[in-house]
Amino acid sequence: MGIDTRFRTLYLEKRILYPFRNNFKLIWYIRSLNRKHIMAGTEFYGAEERKEINDVLETGIFFRFNHDAQRNNIWKAREFEVEVSKLVGSKYAHAVSSGSTAVSCSLAAAGIGAGDEVIVPPFTYIASVEAVIFAGALPVFAEIDETLCLSAEGIKKAITPKTKAVLLVHMCGQMANMDEIMAVVKENNLILVEDAGQAMAASYKGVSTGLFGKTGCYSFDFFKIATAGEGGVMVTNDENAYKLADSFSDHGHDHQGNNRGMENHPVLGFNYRISELHAAIGLVQTRRVPMIREKNNLIKKRLMNELGAISGVSFATIPDPNGDSATFLNMFLPDTETAMKVVEEFNANGVSGFNYWFTNMYHFINQWNHIKNGNVAAKTNVQLLGAPQDYNNLEIPKTQETIGRLISFGIKATWTDAELTDLIAKMTKSIQSVLVQTA
Ligand SMILES: *Cc1c(COP(=O)(O)O)cnc(C)c1O
């Protein structure tokens, strides 16, 4: 809900609901109709986004390149890139059509392609693995740990003489254990690429996720800390990698001069461009991220303090608690069976807005039957060259038990104190009823 819409709704709520002001449940229910499962970026939008979009509509130049005379100096994709660079502290940023295409650009710009073995996590939004496969490379799954990201130990065990790179994914708003991972990456001469699709504005010891490796990327889809509707940004401190991504994402164009038809094409590319309309939204949303991150962190701290007091409840490891983007509360129960029972209790008690990735979501290898069975629209290198591992019989016990006991809540920056109090009460009741049974 946008800021304007939100005020209007609150005003209407006040008038219509005043007679029921003591019926907290009714008021909470009516509010929840508007706000279900929509978080972060989409919680805040309004006049600023409209202004940026209008700038583009007035020139009619929806294309991000060229048309210098008609565009009246309106360059939203460029401004979007500057905002992202400022936020994360990268030398370069290149905006594209989605987080998924940003992963593809990151891999290509890092020189990862046909036949390369790339270590990937079995817990990630599947786009990371798809990008590796459609680059012609071969995914090798390694173990994660309580950070919800690949562990240094897991990476080490998965390395073969053919390993070229690690695609590290910073999951659930948090960050991987970078000191240990960088040591393994350097020791083994691997290329690091980071998918920070769901961890933009998270950092480790002062460095933003996405900037540890050769290239990194963020997603601006509808569910992330900031949204462009659809969009993604690739970041790097390496000038050559930036130039490659810039060309790769636009049919190889070098973007020199103002005559598109006469441009050179240093490399082969494809169309992963972002439109000016999407970039216009993305740039405003990026400016809102520090505010959202601050609100998220306050809410997450309260949730962790109060829920952490329940014996049997713990949380995913946050290697640098000061660098959390806090888009998710990542809660562990003692084991998979208990977690499943808690999920049932949550559903029975009207607790919503959580993800149980182990069974429900598209984020965990147990549900990736198409990869395991080789169900593809057209042959990939996994079929041509053979899978580097038996995807149907992976030994990933640590990952299985970690995801089995994980329940993640999407944090809403707009949660009120009263809503949080109600949520914590319901969660506590649900969790305790299960833990007492099993004790
Ligand atoms: C969301 C996400 C993506 C894909 O982003 P889209 O913008 O939806 O294409 C890639 N990787 C991770 C880790 C994500 O969470």
Side-chain angles (χ1 to χ4, degrees), residues 98-100 103 124-125 127-128 169 171 195 197-198 219-221 224 230-231:
S98 70
S100 305
V103 187
T124 175
Y125 183 60
S128 328
V169 186
M171 284 302 284
D195 179 353
Q198 36 185 280
S219 162
F220 283 76
D221 78 16
K224 301 303 195 319
E230 297 282 2

